[in-house]
Amino acid sequence: LNIPIRFAKCCSPVPGDDIIGYITRGRGVTVHKAECLNAINGEPERQVAVTWADVGDSSFLASLKVIAYDRVNLLGEIATIIGEMNVSIRAANAQTDDKSRICTLRLTLTVRSKEQMEKVIQALRRKNDILDVYRVTG
């Protein structure tokens, strides 16, 4: 079978995530995280069971949100931590609340697996001025 497969941008599944396939009209099968509301709320008869194959050296985009106390070089230090883990930052967006001095960063990373993403999150959480780090979708 030669069915086109693509990965959903709404939930950005990476190897290690529980996944489900959703048959899309004219575009083959779209792979979603199993808990993705777009797949769950779709037509049940269009859902198909899928599993991860050996992905070799493939990489996947995944996003995370970092909430931290704002200060000079915050973004630089976060980028260094991520870079030292051999992970590329593909996109970054930062907003700071001037009253609370809290910075919210959204980073899109290129990762090879859920485990690699979890290691990045754990490394960032070890910094004292980072209040929270978690994976986001959409």
Side-chain angles (χ1 to χ4, degrees):
L1 239 60
N2 194 8
I3 300 172
I5 295 174
R6 61 191 191 94
F7 295 96
K9 288 183 172 48
C10 54
C11 56
S12 302
V14 296
D17 286 335
D18 292 330
I19 53 174
I20 188 166
Y22 194 80
I23 300 169
T24 52
R25 291 185 177 93
R27 290 183 290 182
V29 174
T30 301
V31 177
H32 291 265
K33 288 174 66 175
E35 69 267 16
C36 178
L37 293 177
N38 289 334
I40 293 169
N41 292 334
E43 300 166 34
E45 63 275 7
R46 293 172 59 189
Q47 293 179 2
V48 292
V50 293
T51 57
W52 289 103
D54 179 12
V55 292
D57 284 339
S58 298
S59 58
F60 301 82
L61 295 180
S63 296
L64 58 84
K65 192 168 275 192
V66 179
I67 301 168
Y69 292 113
D70 188 37
R71 61 177 177 73
V72 172
N73 203 30
L74 174 67
L75 185 58
E77 288 180 21
I78 289 171
T80 298
I81 291 167
I82 293 169
E84 286 172 350
M85 300 183 80
N86 253 359
V87 173
S88 296
I89 299 173
R90 293 287 303 266
N93 183 332
Q95 291 182 311
T96 301
D97 180 290
D98 290 330
K99 283 186 180 174
S100 66
R101 305 289 299 150
I102 301 292
C103 181
T104 302
L105 295 149
R106 181 178 173 124
L107 304 171
T108 302
L109 309 178
T110 302
V111 296
R112 299 199 186 290
S113 66
K114 179 181 179 181
E115 290 75 26
Q116 188 178 38
M117 187 70 163
E118 289 296 326
K119 286 180 182 175
V120 169
I121 291 170
Q122 289 168 8
L124 292 173
R125 282 185 177 155
R126 284 195 282 273
K127 288 201 53 57
N128 289 339
D129 49 0
I130 292 182
L131 302 171
D132 200 5
V133 182
Y134 55 92
R135 193 166 158 196
V136 293
T137 57

